[in-house]
Amino acid sequence: MKNYFVFVFLAYCSILFGQTESYQITYNSNLNDAGNPKGGTEYIRGELFTNGENSIYIEHIKDTIVSLPDGDVFESKANNFPKPYVKDLKSKSIRYNARHFKGAIIDDKSIDFNWKLQDETLDILGYKCLSAKCTFRGRTFIAYYLPDLPINDGPFKFMGLPGIILKVVSEDKAVNIEAVSITMGVTIPKDPLIEKKEIISYQEAIKKFKAFVETVEQNAANEGDDGFKILSHYIECYN
């Protein structure tokens, strides 16, 4: 409880005196949609660096071995290839590496969560969080945010609430993202995507992805593998 009051006091002091405090929030981000034929599985350590204006969320694959519902085993190995999401919180746009198109950067300017505030509360890391609900790109999500830290940001692409988002879960239980630590007074990393050349819109990326899926799955069918599917349901469902 003492740490909570210290945290709130420092956060409000920075706002009161016009200072821009920077935070690092570390999340466990788990996706297990293996029951869906097109569902992905990912176990990520996410790091959000934010001051309410500049924001970078970085995903790191974790060492993981998980038994799946169909009896298979999912295994991932940590690597040195982090995936950054660079956010402009004012314009609600995000730049990040395209999943299936090497060298291309997606500039996602079509983000609209349309949050609906809920009555449920939840304690996370000792902080009382309020809740909100939205349907976004194929899934319905419940987010838990901390109004005592009024920064419009959160893990992955999530933002748009009157407080930092500490937890996001999907109603279908496939997605579970939760903060495990908060650190104040950090340095926000430099934009790692600033020198990238090819930039495409989210709509262009989805169009290319659907064409890619159609080609690959048709080729597989022509070779007798009618059941082959490209995974496309991650935190967002691409088709």
Side-chain angles (χ1 to χ4, degrees):
M1 183 62 69
K2 180 180 178 182
N3 289 339
Y4 170 77
F5 286 115
V6 170
F7 172 82
V8 172
F9 173 76
L10 292 175
Y12 274 110
C13 281
S14 66
I15 296 170
L16 180 64
F17 293 106
Q19 299 173 348
T20 303
E21 186 65 79
S22 298
Y23 299 85
Q24 176 184 349
I25 304 176
T26 301
Y27 299 84
N28 282 331
S29 177
N30 301 334
L31 166 71
N32 192 334
D33 199 10
N36 180 340
K38 291 194 172 186
T41 303
E42 290 182 328
Y43 286 80
I44 300 291
R45 173 173 56 86
E47 293 178 312
L48 176 66
F49 298 87
T50 185
N51 60 15
E53 297 178 1
N54 302 309
S55 174
I56 297 181
Y57 180 70
I58 305 174
E59 293 182 337
H60 306 267
I61 294 175
K62 298 193 299 184
D63 286 329
T64 306
I65 299 178
V66 176
S67 296
L68 300 178
D70 60 5
D72 286 343
V73 174
F74 170 82
E75 182 174 359
S76 65
K77 295 289 186 181
N79 58 45
N80 294 319
F81 303 101
K83 182 176 182 179
Y85 295 80
V86 181
K87 300 182 183 181
D88 184 328
L89 298 176
K90 291 184 178 180
S91 67
K92 297 182 180 179
S93 63
I94 304 176
R95 291 178 293 112
Y96 55 100
N97 290 297
R99 182 182 292 270
H100 295 283
F101 315 111
K102 292 183 179 179
I105 297 298
I106 296 175
D107 189 6
D108 191 349
K109 296 182 178 180
S110 57
I111 296 173
D112 183 9
F113 290 102
N114 193 23
W115 293 106
K116 305 296 183 185
L117 301 184
Q118 306 291 298
D119 294 329
E120 183 184 1
T121 63
L122 185 68
D123 285 347
I124 301 172
L125 295 175
Y127 309 127
K128 183 179 179 179
C129 295
L130 307 182
S131 62
K133 184 176 182 179
C134 77
T135 297
F136 178 68
R137 294 179 180 170
R139 298 190 193 273
T140 298
F141 297 98
I142 303 292
Y144 299 89
Y145 64 96
L146 178 59
D148 290 326
L149 183 52
I151 291 180
N152 162 27
D153 207 351
F156 186 58
K157 296 183 180 181
F158 295 105
M159 55 181 161
L161 287 170
I164 197 78
I165 297 172
L166 296 187
K167 183 180 177 72
V168 179
V169 294
S170 61
E171 282 195 337
D172 61 7
K173 310 300 182 184
V175 178
N176 190 324
I177 307 171
E178 185 167 350
V180 295
S181 68
I182 303 175
T183 305
M184 296 178 65
V186 301
T187 299
I188 296 180
K190 293 182 179 180
D191 183 347
L193 305 178
I194 197 167
E195 296 182 357
K196 297 289 185 177
K197 295 181 179 179
E198 184 184 0
I199 298 178
I200 60 177
S201 69
Y202 180 81
Q203 291 78 8
E204 289 176 303
I206 292 300
K207 184 177 180 180
K208 285 188 174 184
F209 177 72
K210 289 182 176 180
F212 165 76
V213 169
E214 183 178 349
T215 298
V216 173
E217 292 184 351
Q218 184 60 55
N219 289 341
N222 292 340
E223 295 180 5
D225 190 355
D226 292 328
F228 180 80
K229 299 294 180 184
I230 296 290
L231 300 183
S232 58
H233 289 199
Y234 292 88
I235 296 178
E236 300 171 290
C237 300
Y238 301 124
N239 68 344

